[in-house]
Structures are given as structure tokens and as C-alpha cells.
Amino acid sequence: MSLKRLILLLLPLLAAAPALAQTTVTGQPATGGASSATSGGQNAVTRPNTDHAHDGGSAGTGTVANAKLEKGANSFTEGEARRRLEKAGFHEVTDLKKEGDGIWHASAMMDGKPTSVGLDFKGNIAAQ
């Protein structure tokens, strides 16, 4: 078999490979009305802030006070939010509630003083 003939036979197979790789296992569209238009895409994904290392110690008031809280879908449970606030140095955390903007708000004590505190979906904490 000549090289030209072999190329002519393989070329259509190679051209079809990307299309075959994109089909689902069943070859059927997703059921239940799920689609990329209704799923929320990347906006529906929430992750804690892992951009920097934490040494496990308490954060100082200056570090916490300067954080900017971002609105977004927050996947932290109440227990997780409470533990993060306590790890950051807040004590006696009360009235912990997640608002409609996705930010957890609470009253707490920091350095012996009462303060309002917030926790966003990235794990940023700010005294308010």
C-alpha cells in the first residue's frame, strides 16, 4: 500500500477524533433540565481562600480589620464559620447568621472588646 493511500484512509479518522471525544457515555443529553445555562457555571462554584498559607496561629486585629469581604455563594456551614472566626482570634461568637449576600455576620469578642465580624465565601474575615 502506498503512503498516499494510507494517508487518505487515515485522514478522515483523525478528523473525526475530536468530535468522538466530546460525546457522552450514553450519547444522550443531560436529564433533569440541567444545562450550562441553568447551572450557574463557574459562579456556582465556591471554594475557601487557599491563596496563602496559614500558620495556624490567631490573626491579629490589624490583619482581620483590613480584609475586604466579597459577596458570593457561601458553602461554609455554621460550624465551619464559627471555627474559622475562633481560629482568627474571635471569642464568644454569637448571633452567627448568613445573610443573603453570602457573608456570615456575628457578634464576638476580640482583645476583650465587643465587635461585629464578617466571613465571606473565600474565608476572608473582617471586623466591621
Side-chain angles (χ1 to χ4, degrees):
M1 179 181 285
S2 75
L3 184 57
K4 272 188 177 179
R5 182 171 267 245
L6 183 60
I7 291 173
L8 289 175
L9 287 174
L10 291 177
L11 193 57
L13 293 174
L14 293 173
L20 293 174
Q22 294 177 10
T23 59
T24 62
V25 174
T26 62
Q28 300 296 319
T31 58
S35 73
S36 60
T38 59
S39 71
Q42 187 64 28
N43 293 331
V45 177
T46 59
R47 295 183 185 94
N49 186 358
T50 56
D51 294 345
H52 49 80
H54 297 282
D55 61 2
S58 295
T61 307
T63 306
V64 172
N66 293 331
K68 181 175 180 345
L69 300 180
E70 296 183 38
K71 297 177 182 180
N74 195 319
S75 64
F76 294 126
T77 64
E78 182 177 350
E80 290 170 330
R82 184 177 304 280
R83 282 188 295 278
R84 283 179 175 264
L85 292 172
E86 289 171 350
K87 188 176 179 180
F90 293 95
H91 305 282
E92 300 178 38
V93 177
T94 60
D95 301 323
L96 184 59
K97 292 183 178 87
K98 184 167 60 170
E99 301 295 329
D101 58 6
I103 296 176
W104 284 96
H105 294 279
S107 297
M109 297 292 286
M110 176 70 132
D111 297 328
K113 299 175 188 170
T115 185
S116 294
V117 64
L119 169 74
D120 71 7
F121 74 101
K122 290 184 175 182
N124 297 319
I125 298 172
Q128 303 170 321

